[in-house]
């Protein structure tokens, strides 16, 4: 009797193993089917498109960031070169941008090009200071411009 019980239990174990294998295969098929349905779903496709868009946007931003870093390095190097030039020639004084613009400006008959930095009143003031006997260097300091600018204004107005 014990042998028959052991034999019947072994048979039942084999049946249960077969059932378990069958259920395992069904489970695998259902998981694959669910995965396939998810991959084909509208939500998944929409999310995939958004992820792709964001990856492209990140690449664009990284490229822009690199471009800006390169430009910053160029400008930093340029500043270094300018500082080196200024330290080697300490006799140079910083000149206001308005004075540089004035030096570049030339009037023509059509009044094309840049507008003059000094107005007519300011030019008259330079002339009156010169007529009062002030040296050109003092006039330049008072008007906050270079000696060359004062000289140019005085020589143009003659």
């Amino acid at each position: 009797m014990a042998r028959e019980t052991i034999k019947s239990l072994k048979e039942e174990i084999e049946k249960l193993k077969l059932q378990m294998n069958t259920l395992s295969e069904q489970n695998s098929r259902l998981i694959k089917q669910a995965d396939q349905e998810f991959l084909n779903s509208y939500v998944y496709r929409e999310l995939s498109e958004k992820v792709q868009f964001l990856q492209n946007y990140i690449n664009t931003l990284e490229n822009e960031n690199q471009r800006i870093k390169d430009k910053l390095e160029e400008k930093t190097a340029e500043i270094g070169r300018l500082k080196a030039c200024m330290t080697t020639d300490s006799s140079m004084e910083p000149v206001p941008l308005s004075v540089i613009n004035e030096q570049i400006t030339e009037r023509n008959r059509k009044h094309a090009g840049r507008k003059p930095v000094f107005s007519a009143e300011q030019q008259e003031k330079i002339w009156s200071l010169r007529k009062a006997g002030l040296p050109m260097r003092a006039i330049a300091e008072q008007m906050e411009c270079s000696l060359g600018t004062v000289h140019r204004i005085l020589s143009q107005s003659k």
Side-chain angles (χ1 to χ4, degrees):
M1 179 119 153
R3 286 185 187 187
E4 291 176 15
T5 307
I6 292 175
K7 187 177 180 182
S8 67
L9 287 174
K10 283 184 179 180
E11 288 175 0
E12 195 159 331
I13 287 174
E14 287 301 317
K15 286 180 188 178
L16 288 174
K17 282 183 180 178
L18 285 174
Q19 253 183 342
M20 189 172 81
N21 286 339
T22 305
L23 290 174
S24 178
E25 288 174 6
Q26 285 178 348
N27 188 25
S28 295
R29 276 197 309 267
L30 288 174
I31 289 173
K32 286 180 183 177
Q33 184 180 358
D35 286 345
Q36 193 60 37
E37 286 176 7
F38 177 72
L39 292 175
N40 291 332
S41 71
Y42 171 75
V43 173
Y44 177 77
R45 280 185 273 133
E46 187 175 306
L47 289 176
S48 293
E49 289 172 4
K50 286 182 180 180
V51 166
Q52 184 64 36
F53 171 78
L54 290 174
Q55 287 173 340
N56 291 340
Y57 187 65
I58 287 170
N59 289 339
T60 302
L61 290 177
E62 286 174 347
N63 291 340
E64 182 68 16
N65 189 25
Q66 186 61 43
R67 188 185 66 78
I68 290 172
K69 282 181 181 178
D70 293 344
K71 196 170 192 177
L72 178 64
E73 287 177 10
E74 287 176 17
K75 295 299 179 183
T76 304
E78 185 176 344
I79 288 171
R81 286 191 302 272
L82 290 174
K83 283 183 179 179
C85 289
M86 289 188 74
T87 56
T88 57
D89 188 11
S90 59
S91 66
M92 285 181 50
E93 294 181 16
V95 180
L97 186 59
S98 60
V99 174
I100 294 171
N101 287 339
E102 178 66 25
Q103 293 170 351
I104 294 172
T105 304
E106 282 188 26
R107 292 196 115 175
N108 59 20
R109 288 182 290 141
K110 296 181 181 179
H111 302 287
R114 295 185 181 186
K115 304 295 180 214
V117 175
F118 283 106
S119 65
E121 294 84 22
Q122 290 171 321
Q123 290 179 7
E124 287 298 321
K125 184 176 179 180
I126 290 173
W127 260 103
S128 65
L129 291 172
R130 182 65 175 162
K131 286 179 183 176
L134 255 65
M136 285 196 282
R137 189 173 306 277
I139 296 171
E141 289 174 6
Q142 186 174 351
M143 297 299 290
E144 297 181 356
C145 64
S146 70
L147 181 62
T149 302
V150 172
H151 184 268
R152 183 177 45 77
I153 289 172
L154 292 173
S155 63
Q156 281 180 351
S157 301
K158 287 184 179 180

